[in-house]
Amino acid sequence: MEKPSKVRVAVVGATGYTGAELLRLMHGHPGIEVTTIAGHGKAGQPVASVLPSFHGVIRGEVAAVDLDQIARTADAAFCGLPHGASQAIVRSLRERGLTVFDLSADFRLRDLAVYREWYGEHTAPELVEQAVYGLCEIEHDAISKADLIAVPGCYPTASALAIAPLVKHARIDLDSIIVDAKSGASGAGRGLSESTHFAQVSEGMRAYKVGALHRHLPEIEQTLSRIAGRDVRITFTPHLVPMIRGILATVYAKQTSSFTAAEATEIARAMYEGSPSVTVLDPGINPDTQWVRGSNRCFVSYAVDKRTGRVIAQAAIDNLVKGASGQALQCFNLRFGFPEGQGLEAVGMFP
């Protein structure tokens, strides 16, 4: 499509971690004009008081969510609302003709029965079929034509990008996939929680929602099933580690026939050729979350355990950038005709 000079954008739910990250990234995007910064709980407060990193950069107050006003002043909206809260607002924004990028889980799952099992009732089911899953490396063409993009979750992004090339080329046993993933505390959001405050997180590491209890499980399975062309079931164990940002997903699977780490690397490089975000590392180099911190990059690598016939795929991302807001902006670029990596060129903040 023809690229506009500027796209007017509203950020709804702008005062959480993903909203703040969206505003940070948009500040460096030459094709975006942010016209509305809206939120429920912080409406009326100065933006710089709620998001102190924007002192001297953004003036004015957090606006109340006025959908008619947003429709008059914006062409697209990013919704950084909690799961369940997006449905009515997304419906209203779509009825008013806006292109919507939703960062909640409300439109990610295609099967409403699966959604109800994990999240409860859906109040805008007619929009689920219209939504395109926003994993750019997999759904590139569909995103460029969509008016409702469901931005993927952080664990599903890292997990899928690690193992997708081997699923696509039928190089692994689809019934053997195990995802072991670690995340920083920002993945739990900005709200206060006993399990995520400093004293509970620092100096320790723990698994949580073990045994097919994490809501990102069906999302990972949906992506891998779509690539494989058949149902895929995995074992998924998330862990909370004492850092703020980052996800490291380590994925184990049995080989269908023997191949080397170098062969897996070449398969992945062919699949991700041209991606501004995914870099496939040479065998023997293991991704580190520190290398991607603050960036929209994803580092992937492969190793093979010859004794057991298993491949080990790894992916490191920043959960707030490639795992949320940066991915949303990458989808925006595809949808509005900008270079896919526009505004997302920064490398990780090392160390």
Side-chain angles (χ1 to χ4, degrees):
M1 64 177 295
E2 183 179 351
K3 181 180 73 174
S5 57
K6 287 272 189 180
V7 179
R8 301 174 303 161
V9 165
V11 181
V12 182
T15 59
Y17 288 150
T18 57
E21 197 69 1
L22 274 168
L23 292 173
R24 181 180 76 88
L25 295 169
M26 288 176 180
H27 183 66
H29 195 299
I32 289 178
E33 178 188 355
V34 178
T35 57
T36 303
I37 299 172
H40 287 293
K42 306 293 185 181
Q45 299 183 36
V47 173
S49 295
V50 179
L51 304 173
S53 59
F54 291 101
H55 275 289
V57 176
I58 297 178
R59 294 171 177 81
E61 298 178 345
V62 178
V65 179
D66 182 333
L67 299 177
D68 289 328
Q69 174 65 17
I70 289 172
R72 285 193 294 270
T73 60
D75 309 299
F78 291 78
C79 292
L81 299 167
H83 309 312
S86 274
Q87 295 166 26
I89 288 178
V90 168
R91 173 193 275 147
S92 295
L93 291 170
R94 286 293 307 120
E95 288 173 351
R96 288 164 171 80
L98 276 75
T99 299
V100 179
F101 303 86
D102 183 49
L103 281 81
S104 81
D106 285 353
F107 299 95
R108 295 175 190 163
L109 297 176
R110 307 293 298 170
D111 188 328
L112 285 170
V114 175
Y115 182 90
R116 285 192 292 270
E117 178 184 351
W118 291 89
Y119 294 95
E121 288 300 317
H122 204 295
T123 62
E126 74 282 2
L127 292 181
V128 172
E129 290 187 3
Q130 299 176 25
V132 168
Y133 190 65
L135 189 55
C136 298
E137 290 74 20
I138 307 298
E139 302 289 354
H140 186 283
D141 293 339
I143 292 167
S144 68
K145 305 178 183 70
D147 289 320
L148 173 55
I149 293 94
V151 180
C154 49
Y155 280 128
T157 295
S159 303
L161 291 178
I163 202 66
L166 302 182
V167 171
K168 180 179 180 181
H169 290 273
R171 302 306 299 268
I172 57 172
D173 177 356
L174 296 177
D175 298 316
S176 71
I177 300 172
I178 298 171
V179 178
D180 181 288
K182 280 83 172 174
S183 175
S186 62
R190 193 173 181 178
L192 299 178
S193 166
E194 180 179 341
S195 63
T196 57
H197 69 64
F198 181 80
Q200 295 289 97
V201 174
S202 182
E203 307 299 331
M205 183 176 77
R206 63 181 180 274
Y208 64 103
K209 295 187 178 178
V210 179
L213 296 179
H214 197 285
R215 287 172 164 180
H216 281 175
L217 173 63
E219 190 179 334
I220 301 170
E221 291 180 340
Q222 176 180 267
T223 298
L224 298 183
S225 297
R226 178 173 172 80
I227 295 169
R230 51 151 281 195
D231 285 347
V232 175
R233 294 291 177 265
I234 69 169
T235 298
F236 171 52
T237 303
H239 299 75
L240 180 63
V241 298
M243 62 184 183
I244 297 172
R245 292 171 177 255
I247 282 182
L248 178 66
T250 305
V251 186
Y252 304 88
K254 292 280 289 185
Q255 297 176 316
T256 52
S257 59
S258 180
F259 58 85
T260 65
E263 290 174 298
T265 299
E266 291 310 308
I267 289 170
R269 283 177 175 165
M271 180 168 175
Y272 297 132
E273 184 178 5
S275 169
S277 297
V278 180
T279 295
V280 183
L281 304 173
D282 290 336
I285 302 177
N286 298 310
D288 190 321
T289 58
Q290 194 177 53
W291 302 348
V292 296
R293 187 170 181 267
S295 80
N296 198 55
R297 305 193 69 195
C298 174
F299 286 148
V300 174
S301 77
Y302 299 91
V304 169
D305 184 342
K306 294 179 181 179
R307 301 174 309 111
T308 61
R310 289 187 177 91
V311 61
I312 301 101
Q314 299 179 72
I317 64 170
D318 183 319
N319 58 293
L320 294 179
V321 190
K322 182 58 175 169
S325 304
Q327 183 135 261
L329 191 57
Q330 192 176 349
C331 291
F332 169 89
N333 287 334
L334 289 175
R335 171 60 180 81
F336 284 98
F338 294 100
E340 187 177 341
Q342 184 89 63
L344 299 168
E345 298 91 347
V347 298
M349 296 182 290
F350 178 81

